[in-house]
Each structure stands twice: as structure tokens, then as C-alpha cells.
Amino acid sequence: MAFDENNLTMSEEQAFQLTQAALRVDRARARRAEDPSALTDALNQNLEVWVALRTTVMSPSCELPAEVCQNLAKLSQFVADKTFSSEGEVPETTVDAFVHINLQIAEGLLEGQMKSTR
């Protein structure tokens, strides 16, 4: 079965976007020495993914459980707060946290998707 990015459920799309953002942040971190702006760009793109996710989970049409929506909205706020509070130099622990959070939430969204289709 081929991967079709254009035919994803909401959970699959959000998981895909979170994974892509995690990869961009991780790659930019590796290139930080030769391209300092790459990490800033990747972090801004990561924030955009989280804003879009927050918009989705706050929508009345969101089919995720209310508790999941609330937790994702709180995580979105955490990502925004950490992104904006990093006045230029982003601590390595924050970069690690973003990558891990994105991958864990993506995994959770996909697991939830699998449970709902059984």
C-alpha cells in the first residue's frame, strides 16, 4: 500500500505534520553551527504546526475526546511559551523536548486512530 499524503484522516495529518516538524528541528539543530537561522526557522515552523493543531482541537467539530483536546491545547501553549521565551538562543533541552513531544504526540494520535478504526 502506497503512502498518500492527500488522503489522510485528521489524526494522521496531524501526526504527519508533527513528525515532519520534529525532523526539521532535529536536522536544523545538527546544522546550527553552519546555519544558525535554520533552527529559528524550524522552530517557527514547529510553532505553526502546533497553532494549527490547537485550532483543530478547539473546533467543535473535532472528534477527539475532550480530555485529549484539552491536553493538546495545553501542550500547544507550552510550545508557544517556550518558543517565545528563548530570546535568541534556544537551550538544547528545549530543542530535545520539542522533538520528543512531537514524536510522542504523533505516535499517540496514530494509536488513537488505529483503535477507533477497529
Side-chain angles (χ1 to χ4, degrees), residues 11 15 102-114:
S11 292
N102 282 23
L103 294 176
Q104 288 176 342
I105 296 303
E107 181 180 11
L109 287 168
L110 293 175
E111 285 176 358
Q113 175 71 29
M114 288 178 11

Side-chain angles (χ1 to χ4, degrees), residues 6 11 20 23 99:
N6 297 317
S11 292
Q20 292 301 304
L23 291 171
V99 170

Side-chain angles (χ1 to χ4, degrees), residues 11-89:
S11 292
E12 291 168 337
E13 174 65 25
Q14 293 298 330
F16 177 76
Q17 293 300 328
L18 286 166
T19 301
Q20 292 301 304
L23 291 171
R24 278 191 299 272
V25 169
D26 197 45
R27 287 182 194 130
R29 168 191 18 208
R31 297 189 336 259
R32 183 186 280 190
E34 64 264 10
D35 186 4
S37 68
L39 184 58
T40 300
D41 293 344
L43 291 171
N44 286 335
Q45 290 173 345
N46 184 59
L47 180 59
E48 289 174 13
V49 169
W50 277 97
V51 168
L53 179 59
R54 181 182 176 95
T55 301
T56 299
V57 299
M58 299 305 289
S59 168
S61 64
C62 183
E63 296 179 5
L64 294 173
E67 184 178 357
V68 171
C69 291
Q70 291 169 356
N71 289 337
L72 289 173
K74 287 177 187 175
L75 272 174
S76 175
Q77 188 61 51
F78 170 81
V79 170
D81 291 346
K82 287 292 187 181
T83 300
F84 291 127
S85 72
S86 62
E87 301 176 14
E89 186 62 32

Side-chain angles (χ1 to χ4, degrees), residues 91-103:
E92 194 67 24
T93 55
T94 299
V95 175
D96 283 341
F98 287 166
V99 170
H100 287 99
I101 288 168
N102 282 23
L103 294 176

